[in-house]
Amino acid sequence: MYDYIIVGAGSAGCVLAARLSADPSVSVLLLEAGPADDAVEIHAPAALNRLFQTEYDWNYTTVPQHRAAGRSIYWPRGKVLGGSSSMNAMIYIRGSRHDFASWRDDHGCAGWGYEDLMPYFRRAEDNSRGPSAYHGAGGPLSVTDPRYKSAACEAFIESAIEQGAGANDDFNGPRQDGVGWYQLTQRGGRRCSAATAYLHPAMSRPNLTVLTDALVTKVIIEGGQATGVSYQRRGQAETAQADAEVILSGGAINSPQLLMLSGVGPAAHLIEMGIDVLADSPGVGGNLADHPVVPVIWSTPRLRGLWEKSGNSSALRWQLTHRGPLTSNVAESGGFAHSTPGLPAPDLQLHVLPAPYQNQGLADPTQRAMTILVGLVDVASRGRIRLRSTDPRHRPAIDPGYLSDPGDARALAAGLKMAREFVTAKSMAAICKSELSPGAHIRSDAELLHYIRTSVVTLYHPAGTCAMGGDSRWHTVLDPELRVRGISGLRVVDASAMPSLPRGNTNAAAIAIAERAADLIAGRAPLAAVDPADPADAPTSAGAGASPTSPTSASAPTSDHALPVPPRATVQPPVQQRHQRHDPAHVPVAPAE
């Protein structure tokens, strides 16, 4: 018997385990289907693609995508302590102010606006630049400037500025637009995953139990109340009871899958699968959104590639000093832009790599090249997750519905044209010899659209499949306190709760969601909303790094920033205007293709 059972030790699950177990009067069980995060490749930043299709990866693929040339697209997702934060590119991006205003105003999610989430972003953060109106210091999550900067990524910044882009040294500051270096979730040249930041400092607590290799198979629901979970570990079937709540933090794929396996989901689909319907929740698995991306690749014969610099000597240097090429996050620089004038916020994000991006990073480089990944971060297309089997070990059917809204392809085409312009500027022209993809022969709009359909892949940001929303939103799965509608004692806290995708990499937003959820679950008053654009909003005189004490009850206040750590225990082209609003309650779900 535990007070709280958390399913999934990913970005959100690690935050919840640490924050909830900071109260020594409650007991917390954290269940993770994957292994511990002890592989060297997890902690060496540039080795991230070496984790793909290993024991640390769920290794998903989508159903064939009708509008993407009938291709099934590989989706890596972390199956390890830290989840996808243990295998992502470590880019710290929160999203646009407009995104969170939309959550609050368009989707009825009171308490989830930009001003509401800002104190949670700051509480989580330990920014190497120090505290400011937009940033925190002293929090668990280390955010730093890159230690290693490739010449190709620097040439992109210089060329984009020459072409008229603005320089931006903080994409999480007053504005997103512009180009620059990404800040990273690293600490001392090593990956700072959610497990590193939150979970490991808390694992000595006697009231926190963490089990790896534990696949949860079902939420136990009795009389409309979640009372525990069933799981498999090392070939044995086990159960655990929750006295207070069961919290799903499996992510945009696993959380809706587990809800449906447990009898919570679209009634017709559950009946079709032979599952008893305990709560008819049509939105479970729907509203699936992901950021699509297409690569533009140029040969750079005079520049040694990052892969050439990552041999034995670099590995030894990293092991001894945590410096050098292996500290690269690969997607080192980039920026945000508008595909067409008049949009309320950028809809394109660029990631620049000092390497050819081939076969989604699964293919080793064979020639010197650089890549600009053109990604769409305001996505109109929607898809869904559905069960293939009642066996929880079977992968669900993942249909992101890529390019099902024609505006997505048009915006990506505009981004491709924009990226091609950068190579005509001095810095990139000096290092780029020829265009490898799409290829100089691809010029017309029809040819570009064909290239997009045959090349589009994931930017690794699925979300929205257990969307929260106000009471008037018929098909939202969660209320604004992340409680599952129709079932007591059950919440979902992860990226699946997002009603729409934020503009940018989703890890920071998932962590902020869990930070706020921890206060909601523990019954603490949410941190006071702040607007960093207001001159009156500034760091407190106590400083962002003040050392708090551990709360002694569920209602005890927590510090605005640092994670409480109790004493160690002795136990274990111009395009048409695109629509900006997406309401999960009113988005039709296309059948799997």
Side-chain angles (χ1 to χ4, degrees):
M1 173 71 75
Y2 300 86
D3 291 299
Y4 300 106
I5 298 175
I6 304 167
V7 180
S11 296
C14 288
V15 175
L16 291 172
R19 292 298 188 191
L20 294 176
S21 67
D23 178 354
S25 71
V26 303
S27 57
V28 179
L29 172 64
L30 176 63
L31 298 170
E32 168 55 44
D37 56 332
D38 50 9
V40 173
E41 293 86 352
I42 292 174
H43 304 287
L48 60 96
N49 69 321
R50 298 299 178 187
L51 299 164
F52 292 174
Q53 297 184 339
T54 68
E55 64 176 313
Y56 305 103
D57 181 8
W58 284 97
N59 191 21
Y60 290 121
T61 56
T62 71
V63 301
Q65 294 296 286
H66 174 67
R67 295 170 184 86
R71 294 174 300 124
S72 295
I73 297 169
Y74 166 55
W75 274 22
R77 307 305 302 158
K79 185 182 182 183
V80 60
L81 291 181
S84 293
S85 75
S86 289
M87 64 187 300
N88 66 1
M90 295 154 281
I91 296 172
Y92 183 77
I93 295 289
R94 297 169 178 169
S96 164
R97 173 188 289 264
H98 177 81
D99 299 325
F100 306 113
S102 176
W103 289 8
R104 180 193 61 210
D105 300 335
D106 297 337
H107 297 285
C109 298
W112 294 96
Y114 178 79
E115 298 85 355
D116 302 303
L117 282 174
M118 180 54 66
Y120 290 102
F121 282 121
R122 295 200 314 204
R123 182 169 81 176
E125 190 181 6
D126 183 19
N127 198 295
S128 60
R129 300 179 185 180
S132 69
Y134 286 90
H135 292 286
L141 186 67
S142 177
V143 178
T144 66
D145 295 315
R147 285 193 167 194
Y148 184 83
K149 297 180 177 180
S150 299
C153 296
E154 188 164 13
F156 159 79
I157 296 173
E158 294 171 354
S159 294
I161 292 173
E162 182 181 331
Q163 291 286 349
N168 192 341
D169 68 348
D170 186 1
F171 297 114
N172 300 297
R175 63 185 182 91
Q176 263 197 319
D177 306 67
V179 296
W181 300 98
Y182 285 123
Q183 281 206 300
L184 311 173
T185 51
Q186 292 186 7
R187 178 182 294 149
R190 292 164 56 92
R191 176 190 296 275
C192 185
S193 68
T196 298
Y198 286 89
L199 185 61
H200 289 302
M203 283 182 69
S204 61
R205 295 173 183 170
N207 61 329
L208 173 61
T209 302
V210 180
L211 298 181
T212 56
D213 304 301
L215 176 67
V216 176
T217 58
K218 189 176 184 179
V219 178
I220 300 170
I221 299 172
E222 300 173 340
Q225 169 87 25
T227 60
V229 299
S230 301
Y231 63 97
Q232 293 181 349
R233 188 167 190 254
R234 297 172 182 169
Q236 299 295 317
E238 306 282 355
T239 61
Q241 290 180 285
D243 188 52
E245 293 192 26
V246 175
I247 307 161
L248 306 188
S249 295
I253 301 170
N254 299 82
S255 286
Q257 178 189 22
L258 185 56
L259 281 178
M260 289 187 282
L261 288 170
S262 306
V264 180
H269 177 59
L270 300 185
I271 292 169
E272 176 188 17
M273 299 301 299
I275 297 172
D276 291 338
V277 180
L278 302 185
D280 181 9
S281 183
V284 172
N287 191 48
L288 174 60
D290 182 38
H291 292 149
V293 65
V294 289
V296 187
I297 307 174
W298 295 272
S299 65
T300 55
R302 293 192 294 169
L303 279 185
R304 289 181 66 211
L306 181 64
W307 51 279
E308 293 179 273
K309 301 177 183 179
S310 302
N312 291 337
S313 61
S314 290
L316 180 61
R317 181 184 179 190
W318 180 80
Q319 289 172 344
L320 295 176
T321 68
H322 297 142
R323 294 190 178 275
L326 282 178
T327 67
S328 170
N329 72 314
V330 185
E332 299 171 0
S333 68
F336 291 85
H338 295 67
S339 67
T340 187
L343 300 178
D347 64 336
L348 296 172
Q349 183 180 8
L350 307 178
H351 293 77
V352 185
L353 290 61
Y357 185 75
Q358 298 169 324
N359 193 24
Q360 294 187 256
L362 295 170
D364 289 331
T366 57
Q367 66 182 112
R368 295 175 176 177
M370 69 174 291
T371 304
I372 297 179
L373 293 177
V374 178
L376 182 65
V377 290
D378 179 31
V379 185
S381 299
R382 291 292 185 271
R384 71 180 189 182
I385 304 287
R386 287 292 183 264
L387 299 176
R388 297 183 192 267
S389 167
T390 56
D391 188 332
R393 297 169 298 178
H394 288 197
R395 293 174 174 84
I398 302 169
D399 179 15
Y402 284 132
L403 310 180
S404 55
D405 187 297
D408 289 356
R410 291 195 296 266
L412 285 169
L416 287 176
K417 292 179 179 181
M418 181 186 304
R420 280 175 150 181
E421 288 296 315
F422 297 145
V423 79
T424 65
K426 180 180 178 181
S427 295
M428 284 185 65
I431 62 173
C432 295
K433 181 179 179 181
S434 60
E435 182 179 297
L436 304 177
S437 295
H441 60 290
I442 303 296
R443 305 308 305 177
S444 70
D445 287 351
E447 289 171 331
L448 282 176
L449 287 172
H450 177 74
Y451 173 72
I452 290 168
R453 295 189 185 282
T454 56
S455 303
V456 67
V457 290
T458 178
L459 194 51
Y460 318 121
H461 301 154
T465 48
C466 297
M468 62 175 166
D471 291 341
S472 64
R473 272 63 180 176
W474 284 91
H475 287 178
T476 53
V477 179
L478 312 175
D479 69 14
E481 293 198 5
L482 306 176
R483 297 173 296 201
V484 176
R485 297 183 187 277
I487 301 292
S488 301
L490 181 61
R491 298 194 207 224
V492 178
V493 181
D494 54 31
S496 72
M498 299 177 182
S500 61
L501 271 169
R503 287 164 167 80
N505 313 73
T506 49
N507 181 244
I511 287 173
I513 287 172
E515 282 275 12
R516 188 173 189 274
D519 283 351
L520 293 172
I521 293 166
R524 295 186 289 262
L527 298 181
V530 295
D531 187 345
D534 183 347
D537 176 49
T540 64
S541 58
S547 297
T549 57
S550 177
T552 57
S553 72
S555 60
T558 60
S559 161
D560 257 8
H561 296 283
L563 179 69
V565 180
R568 296 184 65 85
T570 57
V571 294
Q572 40 158 297
V575 297
Q576 296 179 9
Q577 178 77 21
R578 304 174 61 244
H579 97 242
Q580 300 299 313
R581 293 180 56 184
H582 306 297
D583 188 338
H586 299 101
V587 176
V589 177
E593 295 176 287

